[in-house]
C-alpha cells in the first residue's frame, strides 16, 4: 500500500532488531498507515522507536505532514523524544499498582467521596461490612450508610472543615448489614 515515494521514506530498518518481529510488524503497519495518510494529504501522528546515529534507540512521538508535490513527494516530520515521559508514566503506573494493592489489602475501611458525600471509591472491606458490592455503592452518598442518629452530627462536622482545618477524626457507631453495630474511628 501507500503512495509511490512515501512508503520507503519512513521505514526504520532497525526496528525488528530492537524490538523483535512482533514490534517490527507493528512498526511496519504504522509506516504503512503513515504513508497512506500522507498520500491522502492527511497528517499522521504516532509513537515509534527511532535509532540515533550512535545506534542507541529512543521512543519518539512523530507528526508527519504532506508538503505536496514539489519535484517529488515531500513531507515534513516533527519528532519529539518521549523517553523521559514514558519512564515517568511507567513509574506512575507502578506506584498506582502499589497503592491499589495496599488499599485492597489493608483491613481498614477506605472510601473516597466528593464534597456532597457521593462515593467515588469504596474498598472491599467497607463494602463487605455494608453488605453491598463496591460497584453498587459508587455514586451513592456515604451519608446513606450512616445511622440516622449520627447523620446530622456528621453533616455538621463535615461542613466545618476548612483549608486551615481540612481533616477531622471521630468515633462513630456504624450499623453493619447483619444489624450489628460497631464503633469505628473515621478520618474525613
Amino acid at each position: 500500500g501507500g503512495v509511490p515515494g512515501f512508503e520507503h521514506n519512513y521505514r526504520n530498518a532497525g526496528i525488528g532488531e530492537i524490538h523483535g518481529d512482533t514490534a517490527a510488524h507493528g512498526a511496519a503497519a504504522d509506516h504503512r498507515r503513515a504513508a497512506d495518510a500522507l498520500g491522502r494529504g492527511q497528517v499522521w501522528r504516532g509513537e515509534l522507536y527511532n535509532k540515533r546515529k550512535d545506534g542507541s534507540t529512543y521512543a519518539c512521538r512523530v507528526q508527519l505532514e504532506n508538503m505536496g508535490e514539489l519535484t517529488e513527494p515531500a513531507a515534513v516530520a516533527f519528532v519529539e523524544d518521549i523517553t523521559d515521559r514514558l519512564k515517568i508514566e511507567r513509574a506512575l503506573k507502578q506506584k498506582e499498582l502499589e497503592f491499589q494493592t495496599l488499599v485492597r489489602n489493608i483491613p481498614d475501611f477506605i472510601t473516597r467521596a466528593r464534597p456532597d458525600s457521593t462515593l467515588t471509591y469504596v474498598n472491599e472491606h467497607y463494602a463487605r461490612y455494608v453488605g453491598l458490592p463496591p460497584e453498587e455503592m459508587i455514586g451513592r452518598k456515604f451519608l446513606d450508610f450512616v445511622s440516622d442518629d449520627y447523620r446530622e452530627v456528621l453533616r455538621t462536622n463535615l461542613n466545618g472543615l476548612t483549608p486551615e482545618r481540612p481533616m477531622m477524626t471521630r468515633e462513630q457507631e456504624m450499623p453493619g448489614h447483619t444489624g450489628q453495630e460497631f464503633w469505628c474511628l473515621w478520618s474525613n
Side-chain angles (χ1 to χ4, degrees):
V3 171
F6 279 122
E7 66 261 358
H8 296 294
N9 290 341
Y10 305 103
R11 194 168 295 287
N12 185 335
I15 203 83
E17 299 166 18
I18 299 165
H19 298 286
D21 291 337
T22 304
H25 176 72
D30 281 339
H31 289 287
R32 280 191 299 279
R33 282 192 290 275
D36 290 344
L38 290 171
R40 291 188 305 274
Q42 298 173 338
V43 173
W44 181 85
R45 292 176 185 91
E47 292 183 3
L48 302 170
Y49 283 86
N50 211 348
K51 198 178 249 191
R52 293 182 180 95
K53 289 181 183 179
D54 67 4
S56 63
T57 60
Y58 66 100
C60 59
R61 182 182 356 206
V62 178
Q63 178 173 313
L64 299 171
E65 295 184 19
N66 186 335
M67 298 302 293
E69 294 286 329
L70 301 171
T71 56
E72 59 185 50
V76 64
F78 300 94
V79 180
E80 175 188 6
D81 185 336
I82 58 172
T83 305
D84 290 340
R85 186 196 83 196
L86 293 177
K87 284 180 188 175
I88 291 167
E89 286 174 0
R90 279 192 297 273
L92 180 60
K93 283 181 185 173
Q94 180 61 35
K95 291 294 180 194
E96 287 173 357
L97 178 63
E98 291 169 5
F99 175 76
Q100 286 300 323
T101 300
L102 174 68
V103 168
R104 281 191 196 109
N105 293 312
I106 197 166
D108 295 338
F109 298 160
I110 299 176
T111 65
R112 186 175 54 227
R114 294 189 184 108
D116 69 353
S117 90
T118 301
L119 291 165
T120 60
Y121 177 82
V122 176
N123 76 344
E124 288 287 335
H125 296 285
Y126 183 58
R128 195 174 314 117
Y129 179 79
V130 170
L132 293 172
E135 310 79 59
E136 289 184 27
M137 296 178 72
I138 304 300
R140 292 182 61 183
K141 310 274 188 200
F142 70 73
L143 291 171
D144 295 345
F145 304 105
V146 175
S147 68
D148 293 338
D149 298 339
Y150 196 72
R151 192 172 297 135
E152 202 51 48
V153 172
L154 177 58
R155 188 176 283 129
T156 300
N157 288 340
L158 291 173
N159 288 335
L161 296 177
T162 65
E164 296 77 33
R165 187 177 160 251
M167 193 171 109
M168 62 175 245
T169 300
R170 74 202 180 294
E171 287 185 357
Q172 153 187 341
E173 193 173 13
M174 288 188 50
H177 75 281
T178 62
Q180 268 188 304
E181 300 252 343
F182 293 93
W183 283 92
C184 298
L185 181 66
W186 279 99
S187 294
N188 293 97

